[in-house]
Amino acid sequence: MNHEKHTPIKISRKKEEVKQQLKKLGMMIYQSLNNGIFPEVIFPSRSVRNIVYNEELKQYVLGQSMVRRSSQNIKHIRPFTQLIWLASFVNKLINEGKTSTLRDVFYSSQAYGIDFTDQDESDEMITDLEVLLGRAREDFNVYPEERSAIFGDLTIEYTVPGYEGKRLNLASHPDGYLIGPSLSTAEFIDTSAEMVIAVEKGGLFTRFVEENIPKRYKALIIDTAGQPPRSTRYMLRRLNQELNLPVYILTDGDVYGEHIAMVIISGSANAAHLRELTVPSAKWIGIWGSDIIEYKLPSVRLTEADIKRIYELKKDPRYKGGIWQRELDVFLEIKRKSELEAFSKYGLTTITDKYLPKKLSEIKSF
Amino acid sequence: MSKSRVVYTEISPSEFFYRNRDLAGFTNPSRALYSAVRELIENSLDACELFQILPEIYIRISALNDLQPDPKPYVIKVKDNGPGVDPKYVPNAFGKIFFGSKFLLRQSRGIFGMGGTMAILYGQITTNKPVIVSTSSDGKTIHTFELFINIQDNTPNIVRKAQHPANGETGTSVEITLEGDFQRASLKIYEYLRQTAMVAPYANITFMDPQGFITIFQRATQIMPKPPQETLPHPYGIDVEALKRMLRQSKQDTMLKFMYKNFHRVGKRIARKFLEYANIDLNRSPKSLNDDEIVSFVEALHNYNGFLQPDASCLSPIGEEILAAGINKELKPEFIAVTTRPPSAYSGFPFIVEIGLAYGGKVLQPGLKLFRFANRIPLLYDEANDISWKVIHEEVDWKRYKIPSDAPLAIITHICSTKVPYKTVGKEYLADRPEIERELKNGIREVLRRLSSYLSKKGSMEMIKRKINIYEKYLPLIAQFSTELSGAKRLPQYKKLIGKIG
């Protein structure tokens, strides 16, 4: 493995950069107030019209239009105050080495009488801060509640307070490790893995551990728990970029599974303001529509909603060409879908012993 | 007070009906009670105003028999502190129909006490009770007359006469007994009194109703409108019947003299030119015109365009100050706008439109209330047929003024003229005269504009206040958070920003 690639100071340097950005923001506002000028912030608009597909990056990005949030505007003053409060809140989190959840943020605001109406509003505000700083919320220590898991031979070193310098091998516990704030901010020290396999479901993740897949294939396995949270996508990207590991994605054989793979590869429109969440080289290895036929998998009929979703995605620029359009068409043609567990019909290990190796070798020969 | 320029002239019964054909108002016991009260009050106010006396009007309505159900006989007593009536005129003024002091054209509430005499007559017919008139014009003696109208030969029939010392006070008190229905009439009577108080805020009006409840409409200003001047009729305003009468009564021996002596703003030069136009010999005797000639003469009067517009000096508008005082007194609004339009004329009759607007306060209910007045008389019936109603609801573009439709709003329209163009008998609503409509429209628009700018100023003041409150909440927080973020030691000088809001 190419271990030179990994950069142990990266995480702490990033934190330092975020801290500087926050301080700069604070000083800008402080100066304005002191000079008798109503402070304002300007950042790219996240309106639907400003989310455009970038062919080169193969993902959604924000366009040119900007929004100005000025404290002089009576309609902006509350969200402006909330934004600055949020900045000072995450600044404290970073300085104290603590993390917070989206829900925490929602409740914490209430101490200042600048309550958010609901969590959607506070989540929006967090996204605004992401756009303003050009950073993912995980960079300023705010994490969602959903957690996915990782297992495999990867040694990490914690950077969170109380654990600094402490190392752990992620193959030490068969249930895997939650990809939470401590893991997200840990440095990668060493690994024997040669690939990453992301699976959509916890059941299959456990099966893979039991069937020794990580050892047999020199793989790190990750349970995305459905559509992967951003910290998981960020982890996948780091594994791919810092450790040069190829990423393979295994999902249910339906339009939603295909889209989980797509979001890992090309990102989502919701995160059009963020660049470091995609793994463009990742590969979706299955279950494809065509696999349902080839492996004679037990399947169920597509619902109206499934078909509607397929037509929507057929128009999505990320789905242009390649296997993406092809497999959407297959689903439409056969009008059926299969879950990963469908392989169990042919024995519990069919998926690990027959399907996986076949698909991996197929994909590598592409 | 005997320096009165009032001219008493006897006119014939046929003329009486001709001139007053529009007047009804005694159609049923409830309307009769209302009309009688109204006529007596208007006579009192007219008399006081003509002599520039601050009016003190006392009105009492009492039932002859409390226990009898309505309709039943009521005694109406109206007493004023006006100039009084010379006792030698009293029998004819109150005991004979068609005896008038309002013969010439002058803006007044009604055509001479005809309404009053009508009330007396109605009372006499329904209850067979005499009218009791007590009056003092010299301040020394009060002369009291009880009299009937002898209907057949149209003469006063005095049944009792008395004299008392007046203690320096002049004035007249009239007491009529008539069959009425107070229960039905009371709402209109109260409304009439309130609205009268609104346009005559210089009057003290005290009313005691049959239950003994006393309502006092207190004087709010010492200022009175200047009294109306008498004026000659304008040629455009003459019709065949009026011309006939003028010719018959003329003291001039030539048509030339007749023209320039009897018409408003007609001098020798215009009289001569007009008679040439009308093809009538200047030296002809006015009494020599036959009916056909009179008809074509009237046509000529109407078609000739060399007459001068009537001037409005004979009119007596309420005036902005007095109207505002009246509106303030009765409606206690938050905002008031009043405008007196410049004089104008229709068909030879000068008129002035006055508009008042009241907004908000505790008296007005949400929605628009229209108060209509003509020669200071409140018009209480048939609102939707009135020209003011039409202008407000059809001619004014309300959207322009951004006034909420449920705003507590009152619009007061007053038209004063030597002849108010009532559309029908009953004198309750005005006909659509384009000249009057235009003045109403302009006046209403003007007060609405003023309300609109008041509301927008008020709105922006409240907005600023609200804004400052919001900033006083959020700016300190922004200051605190930015101080924490920047690592500065003390808070920034943010307070000067609050002064910049607005």
Side-chain angles (χ1 to χ4, degrees):
Chain A
M1 283 312 307
N2 186 353
H3 286 179
E4 279 75 32
K5 267 271 174 181
H6 100 243
T7 44
I9 55 158
K10 200 172 175 217
I11 289 293
S12 49
R13 198 180 63 211
K14 198 177 215 171
K15 287 281 176 240
E16 202 49 48
E17 281 170 16
V18 175
K19 274 163 77 173
Q20 283 308 312
Q21 277 182 298
L22 288 168
K23 184 171 185 165
K24 238 176 90 185
L25 174 69
M27 278 166 63
M28 189 264 289
I29 290 159
Y30 186 94
Q31 294 290 332
S32 286
L33 288 174
N34 232 0
N35 296 335
I37 298 165
F38 285 97
E40 62 180 32
V41 290
I42 295 173
F43 51 86
S45 160
R46 285 189 291 116
S47 77
V48 176
R49 286 164 65 194
N50 201 40
I51 296 177
V52 294
Y53 187 69
N54 183 307
E55 285 287 350
E56 224 167 289
L57 294 171
K58 297 221 177 300
Q59 68 176 103
Y60 283 112
V61 299
L62 294 181
Q64 298 299 307
S65 87
M66 307 292 271
V67 293
R68 174 203 302 264
R69 186 168 293 164
S70 168
S71 58
Q72 191 162 20
N73 185 329
I74 193 76
K75 290 194 184 106
H76 290 177
I77 180 106
R78 181 165 163 270
F80 185 92
T81 310
Q82 288 171 330
L83 185 65
I84 306 314
W85 166 78
L86 182 63
S88 78
F89 177 77
V90 302
N91 190 49
K92 261 183 246 159
L93 286 181
I94 294 170
N95 285 334
E96 293 167 11
K98 288 184 179 154
T99 64
S100 178
T101 62
L102 295 173
R103 193 127 192 94
D104 277 339
V105 171
F106 170 62
Y107 283 115
S108 303
S109 67
Q110 299 183 359
Y112 296 90
I114 48 166
D115 314 21
F116 295 99
T117 347
D118 49 29
Q119 199 185 327
D120 283 349
E121 200 187 31
S122 73
D123 288 358
E124 278 291 299
M125 196 56 66
I126 290 162
T127 313
D128 281 347
L129 188 62
E130 287 186 322
V131 177
L132 180 63
L133 300 179
R135 299 278 183 183
R137 61 186 175 229
E138 290 79 9
D139 290 346
F140 43 79
N141 292 15
V142 177
Y143 290 83
E145 271 80 67
E146 325 84 70
R147 302 284 161 84
S148 58
I150 183 168
F151 179 89
D153 178 24
L154 172 65
T155 303
I156 53 105
E157 185 177 305
Y158 290 108
T159 62
V160 290
Y163 295 84
E164 299 101 324
K166 199 170 173 195
R167 293 187 178 193
L168 178 75
N169 187 281
L170 299 184
S172 317
H173 180 65
D175 288 343
Y177 293 85
L178 283 180
I179 305 177
S182 342
L183 208 53
S184 296
T185 55
E187 305 286 6
F188 300 152
I189 303 303
D190 192 26
T191 184
S192 64
E194 289 174 5
M195 69 172 82
V196 180
I197 302 172
V199 299
E200 184 186 335
K201 285 182 167 160
L204 194 66
F205 176 84
T206 308
R207 163 90 10 92
F208 274 26
V209 176
E210 285 166 7
E211 294 305 321
N212 236 346
I213 297 297
K215 268 223 175 92
R216 280 157 66 187
Y217 292 93
K218 294 197 171 167
L220 299 173
I221 53 171
I222 284 181
D223 167 22
T224 68
Q227 193 59 263
R230 283 214 225 141
S231 51
T232 305
R233 283 153 63 194
Y234 176 57
M235 174 62 77
L236 285 166
R237 182 180 170 93
R238 283 186 66 202
L239 292 170
N240 176 253
Q241 301 280 305
E242 291 180 31
L243 302 179
N244 259 349
L245 301 179
V247 173
Y248 302 108
I249 306 156
L250 195 53
T251 69
D252 280 342
D254 58 23
V255 61
Y256 309 104
E258 184 169 345
H259 195 57
I260 287 171
M262 180 56 83
V263 168
I264 292 171
I265 295 167
S266 289
S268 60
N270 285 340
H273 55 291
L274 298 170
R275 285 294 77 79
E276 296 195 354
L277 286 176
T278 62
V279 189
S281 65
K283 295 281 187 288
W284 180 42
I285 56 171
I287 299 171
W288 297 351
S290 43
D291 294 339
I292 298 175
I293 308 166
E294 197 181 330
Y295 295 89
K296 297 191 176 63
L297 292 175
S299 60
V300 295
R301 273 194 78 78
L302 296 187
T303 65
E304 286 298 319
D306 296 337
I307 292 168
K308 194 167 155 259
R309 183 71 179 139
I310 291 172
Y311 280 111
E312 272 171 26
L313 291 183
K314 273 177 73 66
K315 280 181 270 171
D316 191 303
R318 291 170 292 184
Y319 280 79
K320 224 168 84 186
I323 62 160
W324 304 107
Q325 278 292 328
R326 194 191 73 204
E327 291 305 321
L328 288 178
D329 286 338
V330 173
F331 285 129
L332 265 187
E333 196 190 310
I334 63 173
K335 293 210 163 45
R336 301 199 78 82
K337 57 184 180 182
S338 292
E339 291 187 283
L340 284 163
E341 292 86 340
F343 281 103
S344 305
K345 180 186 176 189
Y346 304 106
L348 290 179
T349 58
T350 308
I351 189 163
T352 48
D353 296 352
K354 296 211 172 101
Y355 182 68
L356 186 63
K358 184 146 187 287
K359 293 297 278 191
L360 282 174
S361 64
E362 270 174 21
I363 228 75
K364 279 175 187 164
S365 65
F366 264 14
Chain B
M1 294 303 164
S2 55
K3 285 187 295 293
S4 158
R5 293 182 298 106
V6 180
V7 180
Y8 289 92
T9 314
E10 206 163 342
I11 59 176
S12 76
S14 62
E15 264 192 45
F16 180 91
F17 285 115
Y18 161 67
R19 291 189 57 128
N20 301 293
R21 62 196 186 280
D22 283 351
L23 195 134
F26 288 88
T27 43
N28 57 51
S30 131
R31 194 74 188 269
L33 185 62
Y34 165 72
S35 296
V37 168
R38 207 183 114 159
E39 295 295 346
L40 295 180
I41 293 172
E42 278 158 19
N43 278 343
S44 287
L45 284 172
D46 274 347
C48 290
E49 283 164 17
L50 190 58
F51 286 82
Q52 293 284 286
I53 298 165
L54 285 169
E56 303 275 354
I57 315 281
Y58 172 81
I59 305 122
R60 192 193 67 204
I61 300 177
S62 47
L64 275 187
N65 176 1
D66 285 335
L67 301 173
Q68 193 183 334
D70 272 324
K72 62 185 172 190
Y74 283 95
V75 181
I76 305 169
K77 181 177 179 178
V78 175
K79 182 175 179 297
D80 65 51
N81 62 336
V85 182
D86 189 321
K88 67 174 181 277
Y89 291 123
V90 168
N92 278 345
F94 292 91
K96 185 175 178 182
I97 317 182
F98 320 138
F99 189 88
S101 65
K102 293 175 188 166
F103 182 70
L104 288 170
L105 278 181
R106 183 209 283 130
Q107 172 195 332
S108 66
R109 287 183 170 82
I111 305 294
F112 163 66
M114 185 205 77
T117 329
M118 201 77 164
I120 293 167
L121 191 58
Y122 181 85
Q124 186 178 318
I125 292 166
T126 55
T127 66
N128 197 30
K129 294 261 191 291
V131 56
I132 303 168
V133 181
S134 294
T135 183
S136 172
S137 58
D138 57 8
K140 289 178 196 140
T141 316
I142 299 173
H143 300 267
T144 301
F145 298 80
E146 282 184 32
L147 48 87
F148 285 101
I149 300 171
N150 189 334
I151 298 167
Q152 289 207 318
D153 54 11
N154 193 26
T155 51
N157 176 13
I158 301 162
V159 292
R160 194 173 76 86
K161 247 169 111 170
Q163 292 189 7
H164 307 282
N167 303 323
E169 284 172 17
T170 66
T172 306
S173 146
V174 180
E175 202 174 308
I176 301 171
T177 308
L178 55 67
E179 188 181 66
D181 183 339
F182 184 78
Q183 207 187 335
R184 289 229 170 99
S186 70
L187 269 183
K188 286 285 181 195
I189 289 173
Y190 275 107
E191 185 61 19
Y192 170 81
L193 291 172
R194 176 166 87 120
Q195 295 197 20
T196 297
M198 196 191 299
V199 288
Y202 41 83
N204 270 333
I205 300 171
T206 307
F207 173 53
M208 188 199 272
D209 79 3
Q211 279 81 48
F213 291 116
I214 295 177
T215 309
I216 298 171
F217 299 88
Q218 201 103 40
R219 177 178 296 135
T221 175
Q222 305 285 323
I223 309 164
M224 288 181 76
K226 72 170 178 58
Q229 306 290 307
E230 284 175 351
T231 182
L232 294 167
H234 190 278
Y236 289 148
I238 291 297
D239 58 26
V240 173
E241 200 57 43
L243 183 70
K244 255 189 196 172
R245 195 177 58 242
M246 288 169 75
L247 289 167
R248 203 165 49 230
Q249 295 183 351
S250 100
K251 295 184 180 83
Q252 292 80 33
D253 53 358
T254 68
M255 279 306 285
L256 179 64
K257 277 187 201 157
F258 173 78
M259 276 308 293
Y260 75 75
K261 289 276 188 197
N262 287 298
F263 290 100
H264 180 57
R265 303 203 74 188
V266 176
K268 264 188 194 161
R269 194 181 54 86
I270 290 176
R272 185 171 287 125
K273 276 194 172 171
F274 167 74
L275 288 169
E276 278 162 17
Y277 165 85
N279 231 342
I280 286 181
D281 188 346
L282 305 181
N283 294 315
R284 244 183 107 171
S285 160
K287 292 197 168 63
S288 72
L289 270 69
N290 65 32
D291 281 1
D292 288 347
E293 282 174 315
I294 289 171
V295 171
S296 51
F297 189 77
V298 168
E299 262 174 46
L301 282 172
H302 292 174
N303 293 334
Y304 183 63
N305 51 22
F307 293 124
L308 299 172
Q309 278 294 306
D311 83 60
S313 59
C314 56
L315 296 180
S316 165
I318 302 167
E320 296 182 0
E321 194 181 342
I322 299 171
L323 184 54
I327 294 170
N328 264 327
K329 171 168 105 87
E330 292 304 319
L331 302 178
K332 299 183 175 60
E334 171 190 327
F335 174 82
I336 191 166
V338 175
T339 181
T340 297
R341 299 288 306 162
S344 183
Y346 79 94
S347 317
F349 298 107
F351 71 92
I352 290 176
V353 163
E354 294 179 281
I355 306 290
L357 175 147
Y359 167 84
K362 292 207 172 104
V363 178
L364 288 173
Q365 302 293 312
L368 172 65
K369 173 116 178 69
L370 172 61
F371 293 97
R372 298 171 296 132
F373 298 90
N375 285 352
R376 296 187 207 143
I377 301 175
L379 305 180
L380 301 185
Y381 291 92
D382 298 324
E383 176 183 71
N385 289 322
D386 191 88
I387 185 173
S388 296
W389 172 276
K390 181 188 162 200
V391 168
I392 287 170
H393 290 90
E394 291 168 22
E395 308 285 326
V396 171
D397 180 9
W398 284 82
K399 284 193 293 285
R400 290 176 69 122
Y401 304 99
K402 300 193 173 70
I403 297 165
S405 60
D406 62 346
L409 189 65
I411 289 181
I412 295 93
T413 64
H414 177 232
I415 294 153
C416 60
S417 178
T418 48
K419 184 178 195 306
V420 174
Y422 293 108
K423 212 187 261 177
T424 60
V425 297
K427 293 164 87 178
E428 288 297 352
Y429 60 99
L430 303 192
D432 310 357
R433 299 281 179 170
E435 299 89 346
I436 294 179
E437 186 178 313
R438 191 185 61 231
E439 288 304 317
L440 281 169
K441 197 154 63 184
N442 288 338
I444 290 168
R445 282 175 176 165
E446 186 183 331
V447 292
L448 287 177
R449 268 197 302 278
R450 285 194 233 159
L451 174 62
S452 180
S453 90
Y454 167 76
L455 287 178
S456 83
K457 259 185 224 140
K458 182 184 164 195
S460 56
M461 285 304 292
E462 274 173 9
M463 183 70 126
I464 288 169
K465 238 189 255 164
R466 258 205 322 271
K467 233 173 144 178
I468 287 176
N469 280 342
I470 290 171
Y471 278 83
E472 279 177 343
K473 174 182 175 187
Y474 287 110
L475 278 179
L477 290 172
I478 296 175
Q480 180 195 336
F481 301 145
S482 68
T483 306
E484 285 170 18
L485 270 178
S486 66
K489 297 235 159 45
R490 67 175 82 86
L491 288 175
Q493 301 294 312
Y494 66 90
K495 282 187 179 137
K496 55 198 161 193
L497 275 178
I498 291 173
K500 285 191 178 183
I501 295 156

